[in-house]
Amino acid sequence: MKSEYELWFNDNKNYFNAETQPIVYTQLENFSDAQFEILCETKLKKPNLSVILALLFGMYGADRFYLGSVSVGLVKIFTLGVFGIVYIVDIFTAKRRAYEYNYASFMEIISPYAYNTNTDNLNESKRILKTTTDLAKTVAKRSKNLSDTFYADY
């Protein structure tokens, strides 16, 4: 009798490309019951539906909205698929993007911190902001000193 992990894999393997299917299958063996429950509740995206959306409604970003890329979807709406260029590219890449979305969703269940970089991005943003602020203060101070020196002669 097949385990529930094998049954899930057989039902959902078409959501992953041929390269990632063995990884998914191997990782399923190490899943805890809680992880498997989360996986069962995760809505994977259908790669073929992504292609159909790209073909029929890609000029309006439907394929991007379907895969969670709201900002790119909005750009495609207002530019009619960035004047048709991104629309054509998306037709050929929609299936791959759906596979990548599904694999990333799967891997996030295994290691949520490996795929959630919000904290890292926040810390990096704070560091960049501090560096930029310090640089702006230094430039302003030197500019003032330079202007004081320049106008002192007149």
Side-chain angles (χ1 to χ4, degrees):
M1 187 170 133
K2 292 185 176 182
S3 72
E4 59 185 356
Y5 298 112
E6 290 177 19
L7 292 173
W8 182 91
F9 180 76
N10 287 332
D11 288 343
N12 294 286
K13 67 182 175 186
N14 292 330
Y15 291 103
F16 302 95
N17 65 22
E19 295 170 358
T20 59
Q21 284 179 3
I23 298 167
V24 169
Y25 185 78
T26 304
Q27 291 295 327
L28 276 173
E29 296 172 355
N30 301 323
F31 265 38
S32 68
D33 289 339
Q35 286 175 315
F36 186 69
E37 186 176 322
I38 292 169
L39 179 63
C40 290
E41 293 173 3
T42 301
K43 296 194 186 266
L44 300 174
K45 303 298 182 183
K46 297 176 181 175
N48 292 333
L49 178 57
S50 182
V51 173
I52 292 169
L53 288 171
L55 276 168
L56 300 177
F57 305 108
M59 290 291 271
Y60 309 107
D63 56 317
R64 294 295 186 141
F65 289 119
Y66 178 65
L67 295 176
S69 299
V70 175
S71 57
V72 178
L74 289 172
V75 168
K76 284 179 74 174
I77 284 176
F78 294 116
T79 61
L80 289 177
V82 188
F83 311 112
I85 297 169
V86 175
Y87 165 70
I88 293 169
V89 171
D90 278 356
I91 291 170
F92 295 102
T93 61
K95 194 169 198 171
R96 178 185 52 82
R97 285 184 286 110
Y99 285 141
E100 289 172 356
Y101 176 92
N102 291 334
Y103 185 67
S105 297
F106 177 83
M107 294 304 288
E108 190 172 339
I109 294 168
I110 295 172
S111 179
Y113 301 107
Y115 285 87
N116 184 359
T117 58
N118 290 337
T119 304
D120 294 337
N121 289 341
L122 180 61
N123 291 336
E124 182 68 11
S125 297
K126 286 180 180 177
R127 187 188 65 74
I128 291 170
L129 180 62
K130 183 180 180 334
T131 303
T132 306
T133 304
D134 292 345
L135 182 63
K137 286 178 184 176
T138 303
V139 169
K141 185 177 179 182
R142 288 187 181 170
S143 296
K144 183 175 180 342
N145 291 342
L146 185 61
S147 66
D148 288 347
T149 304
F150 179 76
Y151 289 114
D153 294 337
Y154 295 104

